[in-house]
Amino acid sequence: MVDSHYFRGRLSAQEASQKGETLYWDRVFDDILMSEGITTHFLPLKSFGGVKQEKGIDVWLALEAFELAFYKRFNVLVLIASDGDYVPLIRKLNTLGTRVMVLSWDFEYTTDSGHRFITRTSQDLLEEVTYPIAMHEIIDNRVKRNDPLINNLFVSVDARRPTTAFSIRDKSDIKTSEVLSVRGSFGFIKYPPNNLFFHATSVMGTDFNELKPSDRVQFIIAKNEDGDDIAKNVKPTE
C-alpha cells in the first residue's frame, strides 16, 4: 500500500457541538485515521433547503486520485465508494494502466435523530471496475464471523467513550422508565404520551447491545434537529 486518503464533508466545530457527541466521535475517528497514516481531506458541508450536503468532495477525490495515479503509477487503486459518478474516473484510470478495485458497502442505518437511510452501490460502478468486492457480504458471512481480518475492520467495543457522570443541574430532569424495544443502533423508551427514541451513542454505563426490552433506565429528554423529544444520557438504573 503506497498511499491512503480519506475524503469527507464536515460540520463546523460549532455545529457539531450542538449535535450530541458528534464532535467527540469525529475526533476519535480522526485519531484512528492518523494512527494508520491516512491523509484526510475535508470540505465544509453546505446547506441546501435547510439540509446539510457534501458539495465538491467527489470532484476533489477524483482529481486527487487521477493525479496520484499519474505520477506514482499505481498498479491498483482501491476505491471505497458507491456513487456511479465515479465511472468516468475509473475509465480515465484504466487509460493509465491502473486497475481499480471497489470495496462496496450496502447497508441501512438510523441517525441519532431517528432518520433511516439506505445505501446501495451503483451497478454501473460495479460493472466498470476490475475487482468489485462486496464487503457487506464478506462481513455478514457467518463462516467468517470470527476471522481476525473481519473483526479488526471495526473499532473495539472497549474503545468506546469512558462513562461520565450526569452533568445535570436539576435532578428532576432525570427521568426513569423502561426500554420498549432495541434494534440495530437505536431503541425506544416507554414514556407517555409518546415513546422516546434514543441512539446507541447516547447510552452510558453499559454497552448498547446489552440493553433489552423491559430494562429500567434513567435518561434526560432533549430535542433532535427536527425539534422532537428524544432520550439522551440513557443509563441503566442501579
Side-chain angles (χ1 to χ4, degrees):
M1 188 175 295
V2 179
D3 277 299
S4 299
H5 295 259
Y6 176 77
F7 294 79
R8 180 187 175 192
R10 199 176 204 182
L11 293 170
S12 67
Q14 181 178 2
E15 291 170 326
S17 66
Q18 298 171 0
K19 290 183 175 294
E21 297 184 330
T22 299
L23 192 60
Y24 172 82
W25 290 113
D26 275 354
R27 182 56 186 270
V28 169
F29 193 55
D30 287 348
D31 290 346
I32 294 171
L33 295 175
M34 183 171 56
S35 67
E36 297 297 328
I38 298 173
T39 303
T40 55
H41 307 263
F42 297 111
L43 284 178
L45 290 175
K46 301 293 184 180
S47 183
F48 295 89
V51 179
K52 292 290 185 179
Q53 298 180 19
E54 288 186 335
K55 289 296 180 182
I57 201 72
D58 52 349
V59 176
W60 191 9
L61 184 156
L63 290 172
E64 193 77 18
F66 185 79
E67 182 180 41
L68 288 171
F70 180 81
Y71 286 110
K72 298 192 176 184
R73 299 296 177 185
F74 294 151
N75 293 320
V76 178
L77 186 142
V78 181
L79 186 64
I80 304 176
S82 60
D83 198 336
D85 289 346
Y86 291 116
V87 168
L89 167 65
I90 294 169
R91 291 172 178 169
K92 285 291 186 181
L93 291 170
N94 288 337
T95 65
L96 299 177
T98 299
R99 290 161 291 166
V100 179
M101 174 186 293
V102 161
L103 305 184
S104 63
W105 303 70
D106 292 356
F107 59 93
E108 301 178 11
Y109 67 98
T110 303
T111 67
D112 57 5
S113 59
H115 294 144
R116 182 168 171 266
F117 291 91
I118 301 175
T119 296
R120 295 288 183 265
T121 304
S122 165
Q123 194 62 35
D124 291 339
L125 185 69
L126 295 174
E127 291 176 356
E128 196 70 34
V129 302
T130 308
Y131 310 111
I133 308 295
M135 294 299 296
H136 52 284
E137 294 180 0
I138 296 174
I139 293 169
D140 292 339
N141 188 332
R142 295 185 64 83
V143 175
K144 298 184 178 181
R145 63 183 304 175
N146 295 319
D147 190 329
L149 290 176
I150 301 301
N151 293 331
N152 289 337
L153 285 172
F154 304 96
V155 179
S156 169
V157 174
D158 295 333
R160 63 182 180 267
R161 186 173 189 175
T163 302
T164 55
F166 286 117
S167 57
I168 303 173
R169 295 177 182 176
D170 187 350
K171 289 190 175 181
S172 64
D173 290 340
I174 303 178
K175 311 298 182 182
T176 303
S177 186
E178 64 182 50
V179 175
L180 184 65
S181 63
V182 288
R183 178 183 177 185
S185 61
F186 65 94
F188 289 91
I189 293 173
K190 185 183 296 184
Y191 194 79
N194 298 311
N195 300 322
L196 294 175
F197 170 91
F198 71 97
H199 193 265
T201 56
S202 295
V203 174
M204 304 171 61
T206 188
D207 184 78
F208 170 79
N209 295 315
E210 295 176 0
L211 289 178
K212 304 182 299 297
S214 300
D215 283 355
R216 300 289 296 178
V217 291
Q218 294 179 341
F219 57 94
I220 61 172
I221 299 176
K223 298 286 186 182
N224 65 13
E225 57 191 19
D226 296 325
D228 300 322
D229 286 342
I230 60 174
K232 290 281 190 180
N233 293 3
V234 179
K235 178 181 180 182
T237 57
E238 297 179 356

